[in-house]
């Protein structure tokens, strides 16, 4: 891991760049309830997608996007991988793991308004001896802001081929380090790291502009 003196905009913390983890942003959602592409929804003057991208560019040596309509991201000079098994976020995780050159990927959905550098760093620090490191809040697992190794590929593939797309149904088949609610609360005292925006009202309520 290399360390620089640059600052992560949202957290005022020194950036670390992990050479052996690829950041994977899932950009394939249909945004039906929102009525428009959530990736480019403005939140406090910046598209949601760019809020995640900024964090990942300051954290990982390589960033990949997974999803359809790659022309949406033509101005970002990023590799966009089409889903190998379309139709679910689990398929996006599978595609990211399959396409990454690194042993590990850190996955995020593209629509987190306040992605947490503190949580990202903590998850990355816990990977030794595990196949996946996943936050778990009082609402359950947060599988789309999590760290996965290529050892997860086979159980995910089997699940998808069986027609199942639950993002965490395969966890019992690998070594998962759960980062529970108490750990998360210390890193995310405002409780905003996993806010989910599904409707225009959600954006307004969190201070965004539709």
């Amino acid at each position: 891991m290399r360390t620089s003196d640059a600052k992560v905009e949202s957290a005022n913390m020194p950036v670390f760049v992990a050479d052996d983890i690829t950041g994977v942003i899932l950009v394939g959602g249909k945004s039906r309830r929102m009525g428009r592409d959530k990736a480019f929804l403005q939140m406090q003057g910046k598209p949601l997608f760019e809020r995640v991208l900024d964090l990942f560019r300051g954290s990982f040596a390589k960033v990949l996007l997974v999803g359809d309509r790659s022309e949406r991201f033509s101005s970002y000079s990023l590799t966009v991988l089409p889903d190998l098994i379309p139709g679910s976020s689990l398929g996006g995780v599978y595609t990211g793991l399959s396409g990454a050159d690194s042993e590990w990927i850190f996955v995020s959905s593209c629509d987190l308004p306040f992605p947490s550098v503190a949580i990202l760093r903590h998850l990355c620090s816990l990977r030794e001896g595990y196949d996946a490191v996943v936050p778990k809040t009082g609402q359950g697992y947060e599988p789309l802001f999590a760290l996965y190794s290529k050892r997860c590929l086979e159980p995910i593939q089997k699940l998808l081929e069986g027609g199942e797309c639950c993002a965490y149904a395969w966890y019992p088949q690998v070594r998962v380090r759960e980062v529970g609610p108490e750990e998360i609360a210390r890193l995310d005292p405002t409780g905003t790291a996993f806010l989910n925006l599904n409707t225009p009202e959600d954006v307004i309520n969190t201070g965004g502009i539709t």
Side-chain angles (χ1 to χ4, degrees):
M1 245 174 228
R2 301 189 308 266
T3 303
S4 76
D5 293 328
K7 301 293 182 179
V8 173
E9 184 178 271
S10 62
N12 196 34
M13 297 172 68
V15 170
F16 73 94
V17 178
D19 295 318
D20 56 348
I21 302 174
T22 299
V24 174
I25 306 176
L26 305 183
V27 296
K30 301 302 181 184
S31 306
R32 292 186 178 92
R33 282 188 287 171
M34 186 65 71
R36 56 186 293 190
D37 190 343
K38 285 199 290 185
F40 294 97
L41 202 67
Q42 293 285 319
M43 170 61 67
Q44 298 177 354
K46 179 172 287 191
L48 291 179
F49 157 74
E50 287 190 15
R51 297 173 76 86
V52 179
L53 180 62
D54 286 350
L55 174 60
F56 275 21
R57 278 180 163 165
S59 302
F60 308 120
K62 187 172 183 180
V63 178
L64 299 174
L65 308 184
V66 173
D68 57 4
R69 295 171 292 149
S70 61
E71 68 278 0
R72 293 178 292 161
F73 305 96
S74 59
S75 64
Y76 291 93
S77 300
L78 292 167
T79 299
V80 184
L81 303 177
D83 279 302
L84 296 173
I85 304 178
S88 69
S89 58
L90 182 60
V93 174
Y94 176 75
T95 301
L97 279 168
S98 299
D101 295 329
S102 59
E103 174 66 19
W104 290 87
I105 67 169
F106 195 106
V107 171
S108 178
S109 58
C110 67
D111 58 351
L112 291 179
F114 307 111
S116 169
V117 65
I119 292 176
L120 179 150
R121 289 188 183 189
H122 187 58
L123 300 185
C124 291
S125 75
L126 299 172
R127 57 184 159 144
E128 186 173 353
Y130 295 97
D131 303 319
V133 186
V134 185
K136 190 174 187 180
T137 68
Q139 287 70 51
Y141 287 117
E142 297 289 347
L144 301 186
F145 195 80
L147 186 68
Y148 299 112
S149 78
K150 284 189 179 287
R151 292 183 293 276
C152 300
L153 271 170
E154 184 175 350
I156 293 176
Q157 182 178 5
K158 288 181 178 178
L159 199 70
L160 289 168
E161 289 176 346
E164 175 63 72
C165 59
C166 175
Y168 50 83
W170 54 278
Y171 284 179
Q173 300 176 53
V174 297
R175 297 170 298 172
V176 176
R177 168 60 156 92
E178 293 182 6
V179 181
E182 291 186 3
E183 280 183 271
I184 294 298
R186 290 194 294 269
L187 299 165
D188 179 34
T190 61
T192 58
F194 300 109
L195 280 179
N196 192 273
L197 302 182
N198 292 310
T199 68
E201 289 75 21
D202 292 337
V203 179
I204 293 171
N205 291 338
T206 54
I209 302 172
T210 59

